Amino acid sequence: MNTFTFTPATKEQAKARIALTGPTGSGKTYTALVTGTALGEKAALVDTEHGSASKYADEFAFDTLQLTTFEPTALIDVLAVAAHDGYDVMIVDSLSHFWSGAGGMLEQVDNAAKRFGAGSSFAAWKEARPMERAMIDALLAYPGHLIVTMRTKTEYVVETDDRGRKVPRKVGLKPEQREGIEYEFDIVGDLDHENTLVISKSRAKPLSGLVIRKPGAEFAGSVLDWLNAGKPTPDASDYLATATAPNTTYDELRSLYEEARRHNLLAAAVLDPAGEPTTLGDLIVRRGTEAKREAGKTAERKAVAA
């Protein structure tokens, strides 16, 4: 029996999913803050750069959390806390540390390879990849605007200046993250040392290919115009409120699970009623099991009473 059904596509309102890449000193942190604080009212920033973002605290209002180890699972837990605390903008500065920093993906793979023994690189990556996928899914399902920064490796190229002289210039290359991660985001902007932002990838047609010198709040305004042009849709926080309501039935939870799945929100990091980090999908399943068990007990009590 065929269970596949096509439905008309509709554009829904969404939250920003922005990646800013560039070499050290290109202004990634500042651009993330000037954009993020214009996108929402309450911004949180995960600082992997030894508190460097706080140097801008006199210009922008935001809360910060400093990390010194960068396990992908730790970022999922941080996202759950941030969502619970109601931050409508989440900045991860930088996501590169969760790849190559202490406890990041490369270290996770190295540790797995040591457990498996020599020649086990494939098995090590196979073990670590689900952890990375869960982190990315949690980022993309965050119930607010998301901005991540990523360092790019740099090299020098020799160019001819306006006087005909050969001068070196530092340029950024690929982000320090897994191959192709930029395609996970709706908007990708590349920054250079002159703080010029080039939109290299965008699902927002009005922004595609833009070159913006020292981007400011007007860039965030253009992003918001695109995000808000659509049908309103619930986010993970809305589903969480329904899932944890005391009178939600098993059938309602099943429907809720399917709706969250259609909106790719099952991997959203949330806190359960006990304050423990989990995913929206796991929480709905757990609540469904509890509701089904309670319904069974109620039926038994009615049968005995009859």
Side-chain angles (χ1 to χ4, degrees), residues 3 50 88 152 183:
T3 59
H50 309 289
D88 57 355
T152 55
Y183 298 110

Side-chain angles (χ1 to χ4, degrees), residues 72-153:
T73 52
L75 183 54
I76 296 174
D77 292 349
V78 168
L79 292 169
V81 172
H84 179 268
D85 290 347
Y87 290 102
D88 57 355
V89 177
M90 185 72 195
I91 301 171
V92 180
D93 184 42
S94 72
L95 192 61
S96 292
H97 284 75
F98 294 91
W99 176 255
S100 56
M105 275 296 298
L106 295 183
E107 187 170 301
Q108 297 293 332
V109 173
D110 285 344
N111 292 339
K114 290 174 182 177
R115 291 194 299 272
F116 288 123
S120 57
S121 175
F122 179 81
W125 277 104
K126 185 177 181 180
E127 177 180 291
R129 279 298 188 198
M131 185 189 311
E132 179 190 40
R133 187 67 252 173
M135 178 188 73
I136 293 172
D137 287 344
L139 283 166
L140 299 178
Y142 184 74
H145 300 296
L146 172 75
I147 302 174
V148 305
T149 68
M150 291 184 283
R151 292 178 176 177
T152 55
K153 297 177 181 179

Side-chain angles (χ1 to χ4, degrees), residues 3-12 231 261-263:
T3 59
F4 299 105
T5 303
F6 287 92
T7 59
T10 57
K11 186 180 188 304
E12 297 179 336
K231 176 183 175 183
R261 180 187 62 78
R262 288 195 300 271
H263 287 94

Side-chain angles (χ1 to χ4, degrees), residues 27 121 156 178:
S121 175
Y156 284 91
R178 72 161 172 80

